[in-house]
Amino acid sequence: MPLQITCACGKTLTVPDSAAGKKGKCPGCGEVIAIPAATPVAPVVKPVSPARRAAGGAKRPTGAARPATARTGAARSGSTAGFRRTVTAQRMAAEKPSPTLWIVGGVLGVLVALFLIWGAFFRDKGQQDTPRPPADQDPVEQPEPAPEPVPEPEPEPEPEPEPEPEPEPEPEPEPEPEPPEEAVTDEERLAAGQSFFERFVELHRTCDAALAELYENDAMLRHRVVEEGAFPEESMRTGSEWKGELPGILERWKGLGKHDSYAAPEYEVRPTDEVEIRCTRTSADDGASNPHIIVIRQATPGVWVISMEETETSR
């Protein structure tokens, strides 16, 4: 039967029983291992039960009759010997290994032997291929590896100079406060109203385009037509619209040789510091005279403009 041995390296090997008492190399570490001799297996003796031993060894009583003759004793002895032979044959048949087990063990043994031979061959070949210095020659000393150069520390970057703070801009000088406007009295407003009306009339008489400068753009101009027995009709235009129409009206007046005229002015200062001028307007188209109202205000010191104008026409 195959033998199992354990190497000092801890590897368990299975070898055929034919290698008992021989030596071989361990395929794991290459150490030579002595294979112990096979230990003979003691035959297994089936114990005899006490009852059977008592039955076989018991003696019959002396006075008892022996029903059997000497032949009967011989027959008993032959029967016992045959029983023992049968038991021994059965025991040997049970202990005899089967042929299959022998075949498997033989194959495994062959494989293990081939493996051991293959390992030993290549191990010896590797040792032979390794060049060894002669015995009388000193081994060549391997030069020690040169130490790796230690990298020099990088110089620390110089700190950038802090930017100089920009000088704060000098504060701009505060504008000098405008002198307070001088308070205008009502007498001065009335005098300004008279001077404005005189210029207003003169520009109408000469049909001068400078008449448009007397109107502010936001001025409200209202024309009211009164007809007996009917509700009054009103039309509105702004100073800008009137300035657009005025050049054509002045050209028409120049062609007719006549113009609107204003007379009998009356002046009054309103609570809003505006000056109201009431007068009579005579139309250049039909010659009718109707009440007319002009309201002026001071836009800038010494400059007065028309903020509202109302005209009424009767039919």
Side-chain angles (χ1 to χ4, degrees):
M1 296 181 64
L3 303 176
Q4 289 188 350
I5 58 175
T6 302
C7 179
C9 64
K11 188 174 184 65
T12 302
L13 306 176
T14 303
V15 297
D17 53 358
S18 60
K22 299 180 181 180
K23 295 182 180 181
K25 291 185 178 181
C26 175
C29 63
E31 186 70 21
V32 178
I33 305 173
I35 302 173
T39 304
V41 181
V44 180
V45 180
K46 187 174 181 181
V48 181
S49 62
R52 180 173 293 180
R53 187 183 299 111
K59 294 182 179 181
R60 295 181 179 277
T62 305
R66 290 183 175 274
T69 60
R71 185 177 179 180
T72 304
R76 185 182 296 114
S77 300
S79 176
T80 303
F83 173 74
R84 288 180 179 177
R85 285 195 298 270
T86 302
V87 172
T88 303
Q90 291 178 354
R91 186 180 301 164
M92 292 178 64
E95 293 177 355
K96 183 179 180 180
S98 64
T100 304
L101 184 61
W102 278 104
I103 293 171
V104 173
V107 172
L108 291 177
V110 171
L111 292 177
V112 171
L114 291 176
F115 181 75
L116 293 175
I117 294 171
W118 176 79
F121 172 75
F122 279 99
R123 181 183 178 188
D124 294 341
K125 185 178 180 181
Q127 293 178 356
Q128 293 175 4
D129 293 341
T130 303
R132 296 182 180 180
D136 56 348
Q137 184 179 356
D138 295 335
V140 180
E141 294 183 359
Q142 297 292 336
E144 296 182 359
E148 296 182 359
V150 179
E152 296 181 358
E154 297 181 359
E156 296 183 357
E158 296 181 359
E160 297 181 359
E162 296 182 358
E164 296 181 359
E166 297 181 359
E168 296 182 358
E170 296 181 358
E172 297 181 359
E174 296 182 358
E176 296 181 359
E178 297 180 359
E181 297 182 0
E182 297 181 359
V184 182
T185 62
D186 290 346
E187 288 77 8
E188 292 175 346
R189 292 188 180 90
L190 291 174
Q194 294 176 3
S195 176
F196 182 89
F197 183 74
E198 290 175 358
R199 187 178 177 213
F200 179 80
V201 173
E202 180 64 20
L203 293 176
H204 274 78
R205 187 182 66 80
T206 58
C207 298
D208 194 340
L211 180 64
E213 298 177 0
L214 301 182
Y215 293 86
E216 65 178 355
N217 294 333
D218 295 337
M220 298 301 299
L221 308 181
R222 180 184 303 167
H223 185 205
R224 188 167 181 265
V225 179
V226 180
E227 186 175 358
E228 186 177 356
F231 288 102
E233 297 180 5
E234 291 187 356
S235 61
M236 298 285 293
R237 62 168 63 92
T238 63
S240 299
E241 295 173 347
W242 175 245
K243 290 179 180 182
E245 299 175 6
L246 192 56
I249 295 174
L250 293 177
E251 290 295 328
R252 183 167 58 83
W253 286 351
K254 288 179 182 180
L256 295 173
K258 53 184 179 180
H259 55 82
D260 292 350
S261 60
Y262 301 86
E266 297 180 358
Y267 305 97
E268 181 182 354
V269 177
R270 289 186 170 187
T272 57
D273 294 338
E274 296 176 323
V275 178
E276 180 178 326
I277 305 173
R278 296 187 184 90
C279 60
T280 301
R281 170 181 171 270
T282 302
S283 174
D285 295 330
D286 55 6
S289 297
N290 298 285
H292 190 80
I293 299 175
I294 301 172
V295 178
I296 62 174
R297 70 176 186 84
Q298 186 176 7
T300 58
V303 179
W304 292 76
V305 292
I306 296 175
S307 60
M308 187 183 68
E309 187 175 16
E310 292 185 0
T311 302
E312 183 175 315
T313 302
S314 300
R315 295 179 181 176

